Amino acid sequence: MAFFKRKKEPKTEATVVVERDIEKLLKAIELASEDLKKVEGDKRIEILNKLGALSFDANLIDQSIDYYETSISENRSLGKAYTDLIKLYNIKRKEAVDEKDNAKIQFYLGKTDQLMQLTKDTIRGRF
């Protein structure tokens, strides 16, 4: 029954570009992770945020969340970490909805609420 076999489709130019982009992102993540081990203070926050953004771009959602949460726990100044983290929590919540996993839905709704409260507290100077 050879006619049921799927033909292997050749890689398109777009596929090759995406794969190269992912490889570049993964290499950049690796290099930034090494840099993170060597720095402190504001430079550390900057690299954590860079790692969060690179991981987000590489579709490494859980890893991106970890970097951004670490960044916010170490420095509560508002910025890209907050906005990207809200997006990431919404992605995870949507995945949970698709999976019909009510516990995960509630978990990520709670994470979003906590982040929104932290944002309000930061704006009000209560941290």
Side-chain angles (χ1 to χ4, degrees):
M1 300 240 167
F3 61 91
F4 284 116
K5 287 187 178 178
R6 245 196 167 123
K7 288 183 181 178
K8 194 171 188 178
E9 294 183 29
K11 290 185 179 182
T12 65
E13 187 176 329
T15 304
V16 172
V17 169
V18 169
E19 287 175 357
R20 263 191 261 133
D21 288 347
I22 295 295
E23 288 174 17
K24 286 180 185 177
L25 288 168
L26 294 175
K27 184 64 177 170
I29 290 168
E30 183 182 326
L31 293 172
S33 294
E34 289 300 315
D35 290 344
L36 184 64
K37 297 173 186 175
K38 304 171 193 170
V39 297
E40 294 179 7
D42 289 343
K43 188 67 177 169
R44 177 173 166 78
I45 301 306
E46 180 183 319
I47 293 174
L48 283 167
N49 290 337
K50 178 180 180 178
L51 283 164
L54 290 168
S55 298
F56 193 178
D57 291 343
N59 203 31
L60 300 171
I61 304 302
D62 292 328
Q63 184 174 319
S64 183
I65 288 172
D66 289 343
Y67 285 126
Y68 281 135
E69 286 180 342
T70 302
S71 170
I72 289 172
S73 73
E74 293 182 18
N75 180 357
R76 297 194 182 189
S77 60
L78 295 176
K80 184 171 173 47
Y82 282 84
T83 57
D84 278 359
L85 203 46
I86 288 288
K87 291 176 194 174
L88 291 161
Y89 288 159
N90 284 331
I91 289 168
K92 294 299 283 185
R93 187 180 44 79
K94 185 181 180 317
E95 286 175 4
V97 168
D98 292 344
E99 296 167 3
K100 296 180 174 59
D101 186 337
N102 289 332
K104 274 176 89 174
I105 292 168
Q106 291 305 312
F107 177 78
Y108 284 105
L109 282 173
K111 295 285 257 178
T112 300
D113 288 345
Q114 289 172 356
L115 187 59
M116 294 303 292
Q117 186 60 51
L118 184 60
T119 302
K120 290 176 187 176
D121 291 346
T122 301
I123 290 169
R124 293 178 182 139
R126 288 192 240 156
F127 53 86

